[in-house]
Amino acid sequence: MNGVLTTVVGTFVESWQELRVHRGRVVLSLVGVTIAVASLAVVVGFGALAEKATAALNEQYGGRPATFSLTASSSTGDAVADEDALFAEYRAAADRYDVRWTSEAMEGPRKVQFPDGVADVYTRTVDPDYAEMHRVRMASGAWFTEDDRGRLAPAVVVNRAFLERLGDPDIVTHPTVRLPGTPGSVAVVIGEYVTSEYDTEPSMYEMARSVASTGLTADPDMGISRSFEVWVPDHHAKQLAKRIASDAERASGGTVEVSADRMDAAGTVDGDPLGPLRYVIAAVSVLVLVLGGLGLLNVSLVSVRQRIREIGIRRGVGATAGRVFVAVLLENVLGTAVAGAVGVMLGAAVLSNGTVRSAITSGADVGGAPFPLEAALVGIGAAVAVGALAGLLPALVAVRVKVIDAIRY
């Protein structure tokens, strides 16, 4: 056992010493591998970040898998007579089936009094669960809680563009804003939610069933729609959502028809929406690896032919064919492992840059480490694999060198 361990360690040390002796050749031969691995790491990292960003953006707009929207229409074609009672039935049905995450959702323009005049602001009227269902992140302040529903001065959560038009007050000062209408009210800004840099128009969230939303009704002519959202387990999600809808229909006495439509991307997009992106990334990665491997193979073959005298002398003093084979192979593997580590660090430096990362993710919260772990693993693994494959043929050539070749050269 000690003899085997000594042989293995000795082979590694010998290969490393050869790399140090021929460091000029090594550096030249591994520049291409370093660039190739850096490119590969960037490509794989880009794909991982883009995939996470796409999923995050889909969840922000459509909800987490599986989110369903329940909408009602009168069987007579008229407006639903008592929407509030119907939404109470939605909540009761969801409770019966132990659905944890639910939220009313009404969207449309709402008049807001800014210092420079009254403007229509896109407004979502929601319940506290909406933030978890749609991955709403806070930049400052706080999101709604159930205690906010009873405020006489209703709470609102706004975006950066809203605050800037309001004069950019500090959230901790509890700035207020007037909401004209019937009834009118003065709202308190309790938080700012995160938006992308492309979101330049004011928008806000207000609390459902609060003073601010009292009297508000869905009006398609005004662009205002009202629905009830449920986030249910993906397993048997469709059956559960339809069961909640049918329970609400029965409770209404058959005067309304309730439809359950899936909102999240996993249920509305056929197949894998990121499939084409993955194929493109795979093709680019293979091309990068092939080019890097061919360059290393060419340099390694030339190097072995230049070292025939050295290898012949080693054979003459007792080195076995297996020892020579492993030593030459490990020279390439160790070298490419170092080159891979450098390439991964270069790739990490690129993808960790705030500007680059923001451009890839469009400001979405993807979580995790600044540089995707899978990109680092793929980069190092690819470098070692390329070193092994590129070193195989030179190692076979080195094994065929005989003692007499040292005299000839």
Side-chain angles (χ1 to χ4, degrees):
M1 182 64 182
N2 290 335
V4 174
L5 182 61
T6 301
T7 301
V8 172
V9 174
T11 303
F12 272 95
V13 172
E14 181 181 336
S15 300
W16 182 252
Q17 290 298 328
E18 288 294 333
L19 287 177
R20 294 181 60 188
V21 171
H22 302 282
R23 55 181 175 273
R25 171 186 60 81
V26 171
V27 170
L28 290 176
S29 64
L30 295 181
V31 166
V33 176
T34 302
I35 296 174
V37 171
S39 302
L40 178 62
V42 169
V43 169
V44 174
F46 170 84
L49 288 176
E51 181 177 354
K52 292 179 180 178
T54 300
L57 290 173
N58 286 338
E59 289 179 359
Q60 286 180 16
Y61 292 101
R64 298 177 187 263
T67 300
F68 282 79
S69 174
L70 307 182
T71 54
S73 60
S74 174
S75 56
T76 62
D78 300 325
V80 177
D82 191 348
E83 280 193 327
D84 291 336
L86 179 61
F87 275 68
E89 294 297 337
Y90 289 148
R91 286 186 283 271
D95 288 340
R96 274 196 298 275
Y97 297 111
D98 296 323
V99 176
R100 166 67 180 84
W101 304 98
T102 65
S103 176
E104 180 176 328
M106 184 159 62
E107 302 181 0
R110 183 77 187 273
K111 293 191 179 299
V112 175
Q113 177 70 61
F114 290 106
D116 58 351
V118 177
D120 285 329
V121 173
Y122 180 73
T123 303
R124 296 182 184 91
T125 304
V126 299
D127 289 312
D129 286 351
Y130 186 92
E132 185 66 24
M133 296 168 65
H134 288 265
R135 294 177 62 114
V136 178
R137 294 182 298 128
M138 301 302 297
S140 61
W143 181 252
F144 302 119
T145 65
E146 283 297 332
D147 293 337
D148 293 320
R149 209 182 298 277
R151 284 173 173 258
L152 296 179
V156 294
V157 177
V158 303
N159 66 351
R160 168 49 45 183
F162 188 107
L163 281 179
E164 290 177 350
R165 187 160 181 182
L166 196 60
D168 203 12
D170 193 336
I171 295 295
V172 298
T173 64
H174 305 294
T176 61
V177 60
R178 183 170 173 269
L179 306 178
T182 305
S185 60
V186 176
V188 178
V189 179
I190 64 170
E192 175 196 348
Y193 65 94
V194 175
T195 56
S196 72
E197 59 184 6
Y198 307 107
D199 189 3
T200 58
E201 294 297 324
S203 62
M204 70 177 184
Y205 289 98
E206 64 184 9
M207 190 82 160
R209 291 174 289 147
S210 67
V211 172
S213 60
T214 300
L216 291 179
T217 58
D219 186 353
D221 295 334
M222 294 294 293
I224 302 175
S225 61
R226 188 180 185 187
S227 63
F228 187 79
E229 296 182 7
V230 292
W231 176 21
V232 296
D234 208 359
H235 184 59
H236 298 313
K238 187 175 182 179
Q239 293 87 332
L240 180 55
K242 287 188 175 296
R243 196 172 300 167
I244 295 173
S246 62
D247 284 4
E249 280 186 358
R250 285 195 299 270
S252 68
T255 59
V256 298
E257 297 177 356
V258 180
S259 61
D261 302 305
R262 188 161 179 174
M263 300 172 57
D264 59 281
T268 57
V269 178
D270 293 331
D272 183 4
L274 296 174
L277 178 62
R278 290 194 180 94
Y279 293 140
V280 171
I281 291 172
V284 173
S285 301
V286 169
L287 178 61
V288 169
L289 280 176
V290 168
L291 293 177
L294 288 176
L296 178 61
L297 174 61
N298 184 48
V299 173
S300 297
L301 283 173
V302 173
S303 174
V304 167
R305 294 189 182 278
Q306 291 176 345
R307 296 167 56 197
I308 286 180
R309 181 180 179 85
E310 170 197 332
I311 296 171
I313 293 174
R314 291 175 61 186
R315 292 297 302 274
V317 296
T320 63
R323 182 70 175 266
V324 171
F325 178 87
V326 173
V328 174
L329 184 64
L330 279 180
E331 286 180 30
N332 287 276
V333 172
L334 290 175
T336 53
V338 174
V342 175
V344 166
M345 287 188 288
L346 291 175
V350 172
L351 290 182
S352 297
N353 180 271
T355 302
V356 174
R357 189 178 179 87
S358 178
I360 296 174
T361 62
S362 299
D365 178 22
V366 298
F371 183 69
L373 178 61
E374 55 265 41
L377 295 177
V378 169
I380 296 294
V384 172
V386 167
L389 293 174
L392 183 61
L393 185 56
L396 291 174
V397 172
V399 167
R400 298 178 61 185
V401 174
K402 297 179 175 54
V403 177
I404 191 64
D405 293 328
I407 300 175
R408 291 175 181 172
Y409 285 84

